[in-house]
Amino acid sequence: MPVPENRGLVRRSLLREDAYRAIRDAIVSGTLAPGERLHDADLVAWLGVSRTPVREALGRLELVGLVRTSPGRHTVVSPLDVRAVHHAQAVVAAMHELAVREAVPHLAEGDLAAMREANARFGAAVRAADVDGALAADDAFHGVAVTAAANQAVVTVLEQFTPVLRRLERLRFGSLAGRASVAQHDRIIEHCAAGEVDAAATAARENWSTLAPLLDAAEDTGERPGAAAPAPRGG
């Protein structure tokens, strides 16, 4: 199993969470490809931790559907499960709709400015095909409302199900299709600034429903988006 060159990545104070995030992000980015077998020894050497946080991380990743463990205890990176992604998309869209609905009455001008700045960075990253930059800016944009809503249940659910969508999002943000999200973000900001709660919440849900065409195409062709979307570099 090839693993990244850098070792000793995880800080000792946050072994479990950092191990989980490191392996999760490697799967989402395509560094660990669908179908690839994951060996504990390789992961331990890469992360610089003991076997316990690695096994705990793999257990959490299995719960969200990013890895699979066979009866013989072989752990592999899961292929894209179209049905699971459909379900995750519905949940994530609903959570962002709720977050915006709860956040709008509490958004200050500084929050709106942060959303505008994040969307500007998002648009620049999409135009440059900088998938990592686009994902980070998209997270920052939606994170404003999630933070303002101050609903820990929303945060917990998004933490669980958003990674399931990430492999598909990498395809969208690496193509011209991602540019539509810039305008969708602008509409969300406009409705938030005007205090239009229902319209802002609906726009947020619609924004998170734009993965459907890519998902339907993958289902029709039998392709596995997670296996064909390495992160472009250079932005």
Side-chain angles (χ1 to χ4, degrees):
M1 179 196 75
V3 297
E5 293 292 332
N6 53 322
R7 294 177 179 242
L9 180 65
V10 174
R11 300 188 305 278
R12 294 291 175 177
S13 60
L14 295 172
L15 293 180
R16 291 174 175 81
E17 189 62 26
D18 283 0
Y20 167 75
R21 290 178 181 274
I23 301 170
R24 179 199 67 188
D25 292 349
I27 293 171
V28 168
S29 70
T31 302
L32 298 175
E36 188 168 349
R37 184 174 293 187
L38 302 178
H39 299 289
D40 289 1
D42 290 334
L43 295 174
V44 164
W46 167 41
L47 298 172
V49 299
S50 68
R51 186 175 182 272
T52 298
V54 166
R55 292 309 307 172
E56 290 178 356
L58 293 177
R60 289 176 64 185
L61 290 166
E62 185 168 23
L63 287 176
V64 301
L66 290 179
V67 305
R68 293 178 179 174
T69 301
S70 71
R73 306 305 297 169
H74 294 146
T75 301
V76 299
V77 178
S78 298
L80 188 75
D81 184 329
V82 173
R83 182 178 181 184
V85 177
H86 268 302
H87 292 167
Q89 182 187 29
V91 170
V92 169
M95 289 300 99
H96 281 288
E97 178 184 9
L98 176 59
V100 169
R101 186 176 299 279
E102 294 186 349
V104 169
H106 308 290
L107 292 175
E109 185 54 44
D111 297 317
L112 297 172
M115 293 173 76
R116 294 187 184 100
E117 189 274 335
N119 197 33
R121 287 191 287 112
F122 173 76
V126 169
R127 289 190 295 272
D130 174 9
V131 178
D132 289 332
L135 285 170
D138 191 60
D139 280 345
F141 173 83
H142 291 288
V144 173
V146 171
T147 299
N151 187 327
Q152 186 57 46
V154 168
V155 173
T156 299
V157 173
L158 289 177
E159 176 72 17
Q160 179 176 355
F161 289 100
T162 299
V164 180
L165 303 181
R166 273 289 138 86
R167 289 188 282 184
L168 200 60
E169 282 189 290
R170 298 191 75 85
L171 278 184
R172 180 176 63 172
F173 294 159
S175 70
L176 293 177
R179 299 186 181 184
S181 285
V182 178
Q184 292 170 344
H185 290 172
D186 282 335
R187 284 195 293 274
I188 294 170
I189 295 169
E190 290 171 4
H191 291 310
C192 287
E196 297 168 349
V197 175
D198 290 342
T202 297
R205 184 186 68 243
E206 290 174 349
N207 178 233
W208 281 95
S209 298
T210 55
L211 287 172
L214 280 175
L215 191 55
D216 292 340
E219 189 171 28
D220 291 341
T221 62
E223 294 177 354
R224 297 182 304 173
R233 303 293 178 183

